[in-house]
Amino acid sequence: MRRAEADPRIEARRKEPVPTETDPVIEALVQDIIGKVADKWTMLILEALHEHGTLRFTQLGKAIGRISQKMLTQTVRQMEQDGLVRRTVHPVIPPHVDYALTPLGESLGAAFCGVWIWAETHHAEIKRAREAFSSRECRRPVQA
């Protein structure tokens, strides 16, 4: 994933003390957004558009790979509804539809970039932990 620019507003908020109370409206929004963007297809679409810029529907599907047209359609519509993707229909025959990240979508890409960097940084540790867990599970007696 291409390294995205950090959002100065978010970086400033990170330095503030953690609030003692959370706004229930914000908490509900965060849970809703995490539920939508944490699925693999949203993240892969986000990454493809971040890497390649504006793509046609078929180009987007090829960039992601192994996604059905139905799932691609559902996911980009949800992303459009949340303001992450801009869909542009060109009135030509045959119809030509482009998808691009909005500034809001780009800012989510910057946030996801942090997860990417974290995973890259801790890859070896995660691999060792998984291998250790797997070897313990193989030695564990089967319980009825």
Side-chain angles (χ1 to χ4, degrees):
M1 171 169 255
R2 186 179 76 204
R3 198 168 290 238
E5 293 295 318
D7 184 330
R9 296 172 299 174
I10 293 172
E11 295 308 311
R13 293 279 312 272
R14 287 183 201 267
K15 295 174 184 166
E16 295 175 5
V18 176
T20 56
E21 294 182 23
T22 56
D23 181 340
V25 172
I26 299 299
E27 186 173 350
L29 175 64
V30 168
Q31 290 178 6
D32 179 59
I33 295 296
I34 288 172
K36 289 176 183 173
V37 302
D39 75 90
K40 86 176 188 181
W41 298 124
T42 300
M43 287 290 110
L44 290 174
I45 291 168
L46 182 75
E47 181 180 5
L49 292 173
H50 185 75
E51 292 282 326
H52 302 289
T54 302
L55 292 173
R56 293 172 92 167
F57 184 83
T58 53
Q59 292 171 321
L60 184 54
K62 287 177 185 175
I64 295 165
R66 301 186 66 181
I67 184 172
S68 69
Q69 283 192 346
K70 179 181 178 184
M71 184 55 67
L72 180 57
T73 298
Q74 287 175 349
T75 307
V76 293
R77 281 187 182 160
Q78 184 63 59
M79 292 174 76
E80 184 182 12
Q81 179 184 359
D82 289 336
L84 304 174
V85 169
R86 181 183 63 255
R87 179 177 182 261
T88 305
V89 179
H90 301 276
V92 294
I93 298 175
H96 174 147
V97 180
D98 289 335
Y99 294 91
L101 290 178
T102 63
L104 188 61
E106 285 287 348
S107 70
L108 179 60
F112 179 64
C113 187
V115 175
W116 184 280
I117 292 167
W118 178 88
E120 191 175 58
T121 302
H122 297 288
H123 175 263
E125 294 169 72
I126 294 166
K127 183 179 178 189
R128 282 193 302 273
R130 288 177 175 176
E131 289 169 351
F133 179 85
S134 181
S135 68
R136 285 193 311 269
E137 287 296 304
C138 288
R139 292 191 306 256
R140 184 177 285 180
V142 177
Q143 298 177 356

